[in-house]
Every structure is written in C-alpha cells, then in structure tokens.
Amino acid sequence: MRLISFRHAGAAKIGAVVEGGIVDLSARTSARWPSLRMAIAGKALGELAAALKGASADLSFDDVELQPVIPDPDKILCVGLNYASHVGEVGRQLPTVPSVFSRLHNTLVAHGGDIVRPRASIDFDFEGELAVIIGERCRHVSRASALSVIAGYTCFLDGSVRDFQKHSVTAGKNFPATGPLGPWLVTSDVVSDPQRLELTTRLNGTVVQHDTTDHMIFDVATIIEYLSTVTWLEPGDVIATGTPDGVGLGRKPPLWMKAGDKVEVEISGIGKLNVNVVDE
C-alpha cells in the first residue's frame, strides 16, 4: 500500500494512493483512527488494506491538502555521516557508531509544499535520504529482528543550514519547514530489502546525488538496534538514515538551494518527493 495523510473539507484523513487518485480510507473505516500514526499504533494496517481492496479513487490530488506522511510523530531521529562517500566529501572521519541527532515536528513539510530558506543564512543545503517509519513500540530490538518493527518507508529531504550546523547540529537541522517527508508511506511488505534501493536527488531537474542504500555504513537494521538501545521507539517514529555524497557543501564552489529552486528526492520502489524552495 501507498498511504498518505491529508486534509479534506477541514478534516484530517488517512488515504491510499491508487491509479486515478486517492481512496479515502478514513471514510471507509468510520474514521476510527484520527491519524496515520494512530492507525499504525492500533495495528490497523491490515484493516486499511482490506478497506482498500477493490476500491477506486474517491478524490483527486487537486481535491486535498497533503500533509507530511506522519504529521505528528513522537520522534524524528536522524543519522548523519552514514555513507562513506559523504563522509569523505565533508572531510570527516568514518564513524564507528551511528551519529544521531533529532528534528522538531515543525521542520516537516508535505510533498508538493515549500521548504523555507531562513533569512539568517544562504548556506542552505540538500540531503536526500531514505526514511523509516516505525510500526510498533519497541526497545532493545536485535538486529536480526529489526526489520519486523518497521511499518514502512518514505523519502526525506534533510534541509541543512550549514553555517549554523558548524556550531550546533541541532540548530542547523531544526529551522522551521526544512524537512520534507513524503510523498507517501510504502508499507514494509512492498519493500523486501531496504538495502537494495536506489536514491536520486535532483535540483532543478539536474541529478546532484545518486547512490544505492547498500552503501550505508550502518544499515537500517543496525540503526534500529542502536536507537532502540538508547530509547523506546514508538509507532510512527521517523528515522532518517543518512545521505550519500553530492551535497552542496562538498562542491567547489558550494551549491546552495535558493528561492525558486525545485528539489526532488526519488527512491526506487517508493516514489518521488517534490518540493519548492522559498525564502522566509
């Protein structure tokens, strides 16, 4: 399934993407789950799949306001420096354990929305990433069983304010509306192996990043094992798994995003996340 969060006629809804548009799963399940996060927590993905079976589109994309796939996660956890090629281009040493930082909810942006370059800086960089959505409350998950706690996968754009990041990763990664998440959640039964995906980032139609997820230093299962050692993972938690080389910081001269730019993050088997860059 390809699941989305959206608003229609003032109400928050859960939907599924099918040929021709969107199936309103909230309407077909008596709106029992106020959000996709709540549906995941309620172990309702099977019921959503049953409601989707044989259904045709109820709405077009023009009828709705898309939301970030999980608009209200308990946590957004991000792994930095997770591709050796990226570590090299920014002049850092290879990590021996995952390098983790967190993002705030107000950094999230929907597919088709606006990513905001802050007035405080022009050093606004792109990082296309695979994002994992956790499917159940869990702690101390072994690497061997880690993929079983995943609800699905989506695309993420980690918009980074590089000059602020130099003195504080938390500051550089948490300006409002700098973290697009979408376009939809592809359930884990569709993606058999998250380490066999192709990731491409485009800036104004030009490929700026291209790699495969098998080049991660720490694979998805290892990341989940590590993070679940540190804290409880909750249904709907978002884990961004790192970016490959090609970022603006690593270029000479640097290539920064600016107002009017169009950015795409495409991951094979998942979809394409599109956003527009605007100035604050």
Side-chain angles (χ1 to χ4, degrees):
M1 287 188 296
R2 294 178 293 171
L3 298 173
I4 61 171
S5 298
F6 67 96
R7 297 190 69 85
H8 180 249
K13 301 224 174 198
I14 303 167
V17 177
V18 297
E19 185 175 354
I22 299 166
V23 174
D24 185 345
L25 292 175
S26 291
R28 292 166 184 261
T29 56
S30 303
R32 286 199 299 281
W33 301 283
S35 68
L36 183 51
R37 178 177 66 87
M38 296 297 291
I40 294 169
K43 300 188 181 301
L45 294 187
E47 188 166 345
L48 295 180
L52 178 62
K53 190 173 182 179
S56 56
D58 303 307
L59 301 162
S60 74
F61 279 91
D62 291 338
D63 295 328
V64 307
E65 176 191 353
L66 291 180
Q67 302 291 301
V69 170
I70 306 292
D72 55 346
D74 182 72
K75 292 182 289 298
I76 307 164
L77 300 172
C78 307
V79 178
L81 302 174
N82 199 28
Y83 288 75
S85 59
H86 175 55
V87 174
E89 75 175 342
V90 297
R92 301 287 294 276
Q93 292 185 336
L94 287 175
T96 57
V97 294
S99 175
V100 179
F101 59 92
S102 60
R103 272 184 169 267
L104 304 175
H105 297 173
N106 71 347
T107 66
L108 294 181
V109 176
H111 169 65
D114 294 335
I115 182 172
V116 178
R117 184 178 73 167
R119 68 179 65 177
S121 173
I122 65 168
D123 298 356
F124 193 31
D125 208 348
F126 49 85
E127 297 188 26
E129 307 193 15
L130 170 69
V132 174
I133 309 299
I134 294 297
E136 61 185 72
R137 191 169 196 260
C138 55
R139 185 90 196 274
H140 300 298
V141 180
S142 70
R143 185 180 181 281
S145 61
L147 298 187
S148 69
V149 305
I150 296 173
Y153 303 89
T154 190
C155 306
F156 182 65
L157 177 61
D158 186 10
S160 304
V161 184
R162 293 298 193 190
D163 47 353
F164 277 76
Q165 186 180 345
K166 287 178 183 177
H167 52 77
S168 169
V169 173
T170 297
K173 298 288 190 175
N174 276 290
F175 281 77
T178 57
L181 184 72
W184 41 66
L185 179 152
V186 174
T187 50
S188 58
D189 59 305
V190 176
V191 178
S192 59
D193 184 352
Q195 306 309 143
R196 296 178 62 85
L197 303 174
E198 185 176 0
L199 187 155
T200 305
T201 307
R202 299 180 184 88
L203 181 63
N204 299 320
T206 299
V207 173
V208 287
Q209 293 182 285
H210 181 77
D211 209 336
T212 50
T213 54
D214 60 315
H215 289 150
M216 287 181 184
I217 298 169
F218 305 105
D219 63 13
V220 169
T222 300
I223 291 168
I224 290 174
E225 180 182 53
Y226 180 84
L227 292 176
S228 69
T229 300
V230 174
T231 188
W232 283 97
L233 298 179
E234 303 290 347
D237 278 358
V238 177
I239 301 173
T241 59
T243 199
D245 67 328
V247 301
L249 176 65
R251 297 169 180 266
K252 299 187 186 308
L255 177 62
W256 306 128
M257 294 187 290
K258 62 185 184 305
D261 284 348
K262 309 289 185 185
V263 190
E264 302 172 351
V265 178
E266 182 174 9
I267 301 178
S268 60
I270 296 177
K272 185 189 297 183
L273 168 66
N274 297 320
V275 290
N276 312 299
V277 182
V278 300
D279 280 340
E280 184 179 16

